[in-house]
Every structure is written in structure tokens, then in C-alpha cells.
Amino acid sequence: MASTRTPAKHFSPLAIGAPEPYRALPVKLERMIHFIPPHNDKIRAKIKDIASQVDVILGNLEDAVPLDQKENARKGFIEMLTQNDFGTTGVWTRINCLNSPWVLDDVTEVVAAAGNKLDVIMLPKVEGPWDIHYLDQLLAQLEARHGVTKPILIHAILETAEGVNNVEAIAASSPRMHGMSLGPADLAASRGMKTTRVGGGHPDYGVLADAGKDGGAQRNFYQQDLWHYTVGKMVDACLAYGLKPFYGPFGDFSDSAACEAQFRNAFLQGCLGAWSLHPTQIDIAKRVFSPDVNEVKFAKRILDAMPDGTGAVMIDGKMQDDATWKQAKVIVDLAKLVATKDPERAAAFGL
Ligand code: GLV
Ligand code: MG
């Protein structure tokens, strides 16, 4: 028995009057998803200014919002949306998880009040495609009811062992899927990993070099990336289905260098952005998730040397062919996208 809808039905709206699902995701720059607490009046007062500095602004309704502020966070987020126009900055919310008592009101109230201003809903603790199907259907009903004209996308947080196990089925579940973020804190807890950190490495997780000629008197220990496996698995599932992979939070605000290293590993492995939980992480994300100027210039030389993308040429002693042309195109396409939002980098890229 088939476990997915037919290709034709996959792309038809799930409610009469709901907008058509996207066949390909809108092209958007999303180097950082900047989390703000919408119940905080002081932050809300500065929201236009904050939004102008980031690619995506996200009103967080889930973890880190105290129990007695859950309703206020939702109200604050709705106020934020109805009173502002955020221009080209993406507008997202992280709703509460599906087994919580708040999630139904999160979805119904936000879509009713401001569905046309909302780009993406981040869904935490996704365990399998059934979670996406539930929200997908509910969103279609609400879009139809409230005259929402473009589909509200779903971004899943990968933060349970079961979710990681089902990552490919989650990616395949619906054309409403935008992408995924790694949630290292909840995932560590769910897996029983022995770390209390929110992302980043661990001093005890590494490889001890072999004993050398000195009989092991001096052996180097090389710290490894705890998240390598999960990020790789998520990137493959996302890219196979045309979705966008993201690294999630980095909790140690006092260690910018470690945050930058974690973000960069994710970027090199294929991620398009990360969460910023603190203003200092916005610039780190801009630095990391924009391509390097020298890489852009070199990639541009490859594209110029191979106008139709085929054959083989040597540039600075390095072999280039159809495959490296595709690698170069990834870098130049990203640079062009960054240039639309970042005049300083645009000038440096010289595209
Ligand atoms: C994020 O939500 C995490 O659990 O790391
Ligand atoms: Mg979490």
C-alpha cells in the first residue's frame, strides 16, 4: 500500500481555497534566524530596528518562554506582526510542540490575525512525517478560512532520536516543508548524550593519536565535532528533497570563537544558516554564512573560463571540470543572493 500521496495530489492544496503549495522554495537569504522573546516589551519596542539587521526574525513561543508568559508571548508576536511591515526580512515563529496545551491557539490565533505576514512556522520536537501532516492539514484549513494568499511553510527542528531516525520521511512529507534545524540541546537529552552544553564540542570527545616512537610518552588528543554525524544526515535528507538545512543554537554567548567554529563546520557541510540567540551572534552568522571573498573571486574565474560548464581547464595549477563548475556556481549564486542584502559584501565580491 502506498504511504504517500500520488505526485499530482502531493501538490494540490489540502483545503478548498487554500493557496497552491510551492513547487520550489522561494529564493531567500537566511543566514541567521534571529530569536526574540515576544513577551518582552522592551524588545518589541525595538523590533523594527532589530529586524532591519537580520535576514529572518523569529518570535519564539516555545522553550525559554516561562509558563506564565506563554499567552503574552503569543499576543506580543501578533502585535509585532500587525503593527509592522518587515520588508524583505523573513518573519517566522517557533510554536509550542504538538503535545502541548498551547500549540492549537498558537497556530489558530497567529494565522487568523496575521497569516499573510507569516513566512514560516518552526515546529519543535518533530518525530516523524505524521507531525508534519497534522500541521500541514491544519494550516491549509486556516489559510482557506482566513484568506491567506501564499502558503505558510513549515521548518522542523531535528531534536529527538526518533526524529533523526525518520529524517528522510520528514523531509519528504509535504511541499510545505521549508527545511530543518539541528536542536542540539533537546537532541542531547533525547539521546542520553552526556553533555550539558547547547551545541558546540566537548573537551572529552575526540581521538587520541597513536603512540609514537617515544613509546606513548607524548600523544596528542584531537577534539572532534559531536554534531558531525547529525548535521551530515540532515543535510543529505534536506538537499535530496530541495529543502534548506540549518545549524541551530549555540548557547555559550561568552565564547564567540567556538560559536563561529561550530557555525563554520555547518556551513562547510552544506547548511545555509544558524540561529542567533544573542546580538553578537548576528555578525558571526553574517561572516560565516556569506561566502569568502577570495572563494567568490576564484569561483567566478572558473565560471568565466568554462562558459557552458563543460570540459576541463587548469586555473592556478588546479584542475577544473563540470563538477567543479557546479561547486563554483553554488558559491557565486550565494554571493549574488548576499549581494542583494549586504552592500558592503556586494562591493567586495565585485560581481
Ligand atoms: C533547540 O531547540 C535545542 O533544543 O537545541
Ligand atoms: Mg529544543
Side-chain angles (χ1 to χ4, degrees):
M1 208 175 75
S3 60
T4 53
R5 290 190 285 272
T6 62
K9 284 201 181 138
H10 188 73
F11 286 106
S12 54
L14 290 178
I16 297 163
E20 291 270 333
Y22 291 120
R23 299 235 162 199
L25 287 175
V27 177
K28 288 202 172 164
L29 186 62
E30 292 162 338
R31 291 168 297 182
M32 81 296 298
I33 303 162
H34 188 64
F35 273 55
I36 61 102
H39 52 289
N40 183 318
D41 298 339
K42 283 198 197 122
I43 299 271
R44 266 204 335 278
K46 295 189 291 192
I47 202 66
K48 269 213 99 129
D49 182 43
I50 299 171
S52 71
Q53 296 165 40
V54 300
D55 298 339
V56 173
I57 187 105
L58 177 144
N60 176 33
L61 310 183
E62 199 223 11
D63 292 357
V65 175
L67 213 60
D68 62 359
Q69 292 297 317
K70 288 285 185 190
E71 309 281 331
N72 281 340
R74 188 190 310 131
K75 282 200 192 91
F77 181 65
I78 289 172
E79 186 190 300
M80 217 177 98
L81 261 54
T82 50
Q83 295 185 356
N84 291 288
D85 176 0
F86 294 109
T88 57
T89 302
V91 178
W92 296 25
T93 181
R94 177 170 78 168
I95 58 174
N96 286 285
C97 59
L98 291 179
N99 64 1
S100 77
W102 307 288
V103 65
L104 187 61
D105 290 343
D106 290 346
V107 181
T108 52
E109 289 180 22
V110 170
V111 177
N116 274 313
K117 290 193 160 180
L118 187 64
D119 295 305
V120 177
I121 288 182
M122 184 183 271
L123 183 63
K125 301 175 179 69
V126 173
E127 309 239 78
W130 50 88
D131 290 334
I132 307 298
H133 294 155
Y134 169 80
L135 184 59
D136 194 8
Q137 182 72 67
L138 179 61
L139 281 171
Q141 292 162 345
L142 293 169
E143 285 166 347
R145 173 147 171 203
H146 299 293
V148 176
T149 54
K150 64 176 176 47
I152 297 166
L153 297 175
I154 300 174
H155 181 100
I157 312 182
L158 197 59
E159 55 181 350
T160 66
E162 193 175 356
V164 175
N165 236 4
N166 291 323
V167 66
E168 191 182 341
I170 295 168
S173 60
S174 163
R176 204 186 277 282
M177 282 297 292
H178 165 277
M180 289 181 212
S181 288
L182 170 73
D186 270 302
L187 183 55
S190 165
R191 280 178 174 163
M193 290 168 70
K194 311 302 180 292
T195 168
T196 53
R197 299 176 174 202
V198 177
H202 190 288
D204 296 338
Y205 187 80
V207 175
L208 188 62
D210 285 3
K213 290 199 178 88
D214 62 3
Q218 236 199 336
R219 297 175 67 181
N220 289 330
F221 178 80
Y222 299 101
Q223 203 176 318
Q224 306 281 302
D225 184 352
L226 265 179
W227 305 106
H228 181 81
Y229 154 77
T230 318
V231 170
K233 193 166 169 161
M234 177 181 74
V235 167
D236 280 343
C238 283
L239 272 293
Y241 289 92
L243 311 183
K244 299 182 179 183
F246 290 72
Y247 177 75
F250 190 89
D252 186 351
F253 302 154
S254 69
D255 196 347
S256 298
C259 175
E260 184 154 346
Q262 180 74 74
F263 282 10
R264 186 157 288 112
N265 281 357
F267 175 67
L268 290 171
Q269 274 191 277
C271 290
L272 294 172
W275 302 1
S276 48
L277 303 181
H278 187 273
T280 55
Q281 296 182 338
I282 297 172
D283 277 339
I284 299 175
K286 280 188 187 166
R287 214 164 35 243
V288 172
F289 293 102
S290 306
D292 176 77
V293 174
N294 291 326
E295 283 275 84
V296 174
K297 291 191 169 153
F298 189 67
K300 183 75 176 27
R301 284 174 66 200
I302 298 174
L303 297 189
D304 290 346
M306 298 171 63
D308 65 2
T310 67
V313 296
M314 295 297 289
I315 300 180
D316 296 348
K318 299 184 185 83
M319 189 277 297
Q320 312 298 331
D321 68 0
D322 308 42
T324 60
W325 185 91
K326 288 177 198 152
Q327 289 176 280
K329 190 162 181 309
V330 168
I331 305 269
V332 171
D333 285 352
L334 177 59
K336 284 184 180 157
L337 194 56
V338 169
T340 60
K341 217 175 157 155
D342 199 326
E344 246 173 66
R345 284 192 173 81
F349 294 153
L351 290 168

